[in-house]
């Protein structure tokens, strides 16, 4: 089938309409229902639950609202706009329910909710939402006394780049200072060896050695420190980023064009091909390193893109697999979109032809049922198609600070 920007926007619109249709409303607030899954430490048994989603960006109302707001910005659809504001209002009201252990996380915590609220406020010209986001950010330094977890998804390290972005967007230099303090604490927690710089896995993640990868490992930590070093002119942060990438490359497998996932076995650890773990996310970090002037990482980026491209183009069963941003084909599409590669269009057309007639059948990142969320579900798949329609759409997989105002 032919597939162009107009067709991609049409698919994104179907997702937006569906999320408005399925919103659970209470006055000027709304939430959504979906499947969540969890596994106890050391167990292969997964527990499933169906209920209202949380407040966060990754799996909660903030992420769904962000997609709807970006869609409304481009289409002017009033219903999408109103539902986006109701969703982010719910997230801001419920932010206090986020567990303290992931409070600092961008994807899982308060920083992500604040970031989504600011982006929604700007997209929809709704200053009151930005005021609420700023109040949330003002309370963050109080949590530093409890320390941080150096995890790109759930910990303070992952908040570094969003805070840099918010410092510039809101013209609040104190947020840049907070990002610098998080960077200092991340460096202090590093283990330095001949293999490079590494960090212990976050609590609750079982691993045989420090992880590679974007969501919980060296790629995400290195990218965060690199952005900080370049933005603030801090050479020690750039040095730490090189150390993180060096640790990761110690384990690179040329025959696979990939890096191992140490959540499993050690020497025989399998490789994952997703944004969260493996070549796609690592490639995204290396692509950004190239954009920031570190040309030595071009071979890494090229190897990662080859693996990502080959996996996305594989017709052997993948079409029916997970399409989420976090660990599915949607994430692979976003990585290739960032790189300006063409195979993303063919994959998008294949999926649209197969699933667009029944959005609930679109495979999500939960093993059972469906999810409305950004990183695991329908909002994220819609966001991916919206990005194909408008290449200027910022990726949620690689937040970058805006250029400083002149």
């Amino acid at each position: 089938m032919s597939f162009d920007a107009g067709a991609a926007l049409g698919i994104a619109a179907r997702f937006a309409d569906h999320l408005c249709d399925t919103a659970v409303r209470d006055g000027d607030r709304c939430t959504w229902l979906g499947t969540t899954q969890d596994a106890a430490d050391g167990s292969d048994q997964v527990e499933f639950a169906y209920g209202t989603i949380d407040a966060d960006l990754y799996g909660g109302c903030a992420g769904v609202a962000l997609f709807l707001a970006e869609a409304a910005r481009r289409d002017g659809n009033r219903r999408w706009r109103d539902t986006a504001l109701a969703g982010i209002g719910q997230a801001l009201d419920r932010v206090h329910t986020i567990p303290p252990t992931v409070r600092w996380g961008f994807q899982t915590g308060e920083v992500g909710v604040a970031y989504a609220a600011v982006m929604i406020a700007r997209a929809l010209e709704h200053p009151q939402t930005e005021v609420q986001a700023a109040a949330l950010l003002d309370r963050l330094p109080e949590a530093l006394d409890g320390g941080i977890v150096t995890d790109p998804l759930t910990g303070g390290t992952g908040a570094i780049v969003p805070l840099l972005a918010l410092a510039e967007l809101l013209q609040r230099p104190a947020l840049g200072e907070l990002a610098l303090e998080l960077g200092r604490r991340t460096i202090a927690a590093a283990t330095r060896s001949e293999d490079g710089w590494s960090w212990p896995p976050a609590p609750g993640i079982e691993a045989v050695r420090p992880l590679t990868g974007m969501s919980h490992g060296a790629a995400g930590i290195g990218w965060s420190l690199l952005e900080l070093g370049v933005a603030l002119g801090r050479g020690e942060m750039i040095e730490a980023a090189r150390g993180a990438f060096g640790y990761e490359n110690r384990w690179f497998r040329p025959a696979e064009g990939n890096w191992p996932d140490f959540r499993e076995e050690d020497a025989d650890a399998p490789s994952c091909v997703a944004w969260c773990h493996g070549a796609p996310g690592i490639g995204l970090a290396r692509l950004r390193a190239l954009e920031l002037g570190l040309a030595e990482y071009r071979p890494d980026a090229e190897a990662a893109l080859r693996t990502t491209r080959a996996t996305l183009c594989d017709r052997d069963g993948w079409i029916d697999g997970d399409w989420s941003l976090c660990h599915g084909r949607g994430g692979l599409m976003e990585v290739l979109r960032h790189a300006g590669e063409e195979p993303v269009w063919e994959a998008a057309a294949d999926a649209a032809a197969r699933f667009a007639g029944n959005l609930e059948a679109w495979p999500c990142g939960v093993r059972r049922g469906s999810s409305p969320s950004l990183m695991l579900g329908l909002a994220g798949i819609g966001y991916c198609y919206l990005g194909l329609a408008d290449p200027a759409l910022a990726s949620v997989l690689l937040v970058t600070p805006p250029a400083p105002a002149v």
Side-chain angles (χ1 to χ4, degrees), residues 40 52 61 68 95 100 104 138 146 209 268 309 329 338 363 371 389 391 395:
T52 55
C61 293
L68 289 172
V95 74
W104 278 104
D138 286 342
R209 64 173 65 249
D268 298 323
R309 189 185 312 121
R329 293 192 85 181
H338 184 90
S371 169
S395 175

Side-chain angles (χ1 to χ4, degrees), residues 301-370:
E302 290 174 348
L305 288 175
R306 283 194 297 271
T307 300
T308 303
R309 189 185 312 121
T311 304
L312 186 63
C313 294
D314 182 5
R315 294 294 186 270
D316 186 17
W318 253 84
I319 188 67
D320 294 316
D322 174 8
W323 278 82
S324 72
L325 290 180
C326 182
H327 42 257
R329 293 192 85 181
L332 273 60
M333 287 171 60
E334 275 289 278
V335 170
L336 293 181
R337 178 173 78 87
H338 184 90
E341 297 219 355
E342 287 300 317
V344 64
W345 285 96
E346 187 175 358
D350 286 349
R354 190 173 184 89
F355 302 119
N358 179 11
L359 297 187
E360 289 282 358
W362 213 301
C364 293
V366 289
R367 298 184 200 176
R368 183 181 300 167
S370 183

Side-chain angles (χ1 to χ4, degrees), residues 44-334:
D44 293 330
Q45 297 298 314
V46 178
E47 295 182 358
F48 296 93
Y50 183 78
T52 55
I53 61 176
D54 294 325
D56 59 277
L57 185 68
Y58 184 94
C61 293
V64 181
L66 180 61
F67 161 61
L68 289 172
E70 292 291 359
R73 184 213 292 256
R74 286 154 180 81
D75 182 273
N77 187 296
R78 184 76 187 186
R79 186 170 178 239
W80 301 350
R81 180 185 189 278
D82 291 346
T83 308
L85 290 174
I88 195 60
Q90 172 73 3
L92 289 164
D93 280 352
R94 300 292 297 168
V95 74
H96 66 278
T97 65
I98 292 174
T101 52
V102 296
R103 180 181 184 186
W104 278 104
F106 172 58
Q107 295 284 355
T108 60
E110 296 182 18
V111 175
V113 174
Y115 176 86
V118 170
M119 299 302 290
I120 291 167
R122 298 292 175 95
L124 303 181
E125 299 181 356
H126 195 263
Q128 181 56 36
T129 296
E130 187 166 309
V131 170
Q132 291 177 274
L136 177 58
L137 291 166
D138 286 342
R139 297 196 298 270
L140 276 177
E142 301 170 6
L144 274 178
D145 292 340
I148 67 162
V149 174
T150 54
D151 185 272
L153 189 86
T154 63
T157 303
I160 289 172
V161 183
L163 286 171
L164 289 173
L166 290 167
E168 187 60 39
L169 286 169
L170 300 176
Q171 291 297 289
R172 288 186 170 218
L175 295 177
E177 290 297 318
L178 184 55
L180 181 58
E181 177 59 25
L182 294 175
R184 291 192 183 107
R185 295 188 182 206
T186 299
I187 287 179
T191 297
R192 309 180 195 192
S193 71
E194 293 180 358
D195 290 338
W197 293 37
S198 61
W199 286 261
I205 296 178
E206 293 192 357
V208 296
R209 64 173 65 249
L211 293 172
T212 63
M214 192 66 165
S215 66
H216 298 292
I221 294 171
W223 160 65
S224 298
L225 295 174
L226 179 59
E227 292 278 9
L228 183 63
V230 171
L232 302 184
R234 305 295 297 230
E236 75 275 20
M237 300 294 167
I238 298 174
E239 170 84 9
R242 283 194 166 102
F245 295 160
Y247 170 78
E248 210 157 45
N249 283 350
R250 157 69 177 81
W251 302 104
F252 178 64
R253 295 171 173 171
E256 298 178 30
N258 207 345
W259 293 256
D261 179 357
F262 289 124
R263 293 174 300 168
E264 306 292 342
E265 298 85 4
D266 193 352
D268 298 323
S271 296
C272 184
V273 188
W275 167 81
C276 52
H277 296 274
I282 292 171
L284 202 54
R286 302 304 198 269
L287 284 170
R288 183 57 180 161
L290 295 180
E291 294 171 1
L292 294 174
L294 277 63
E296 64 264 37
Y297 295 109
R298 185 172 302 280
D300 294 7
E302 290 174 348
L305 288 175
R306 283 194 297 271
T307 300
T308 303
R309 189 185 312 121
T311 304
L312 186 63
C313 294
D314 182 5
R315 294 294 186 270
D316 186 17
W318 253 84
I319 188 67
D320 294 316
D322 174 8
W323 278 82
S324 72
L325 290 180
C326 182
H327 42 257
R329 293 192 85 181
L332 273 60
M333 287 171 60
E334 275 289 278

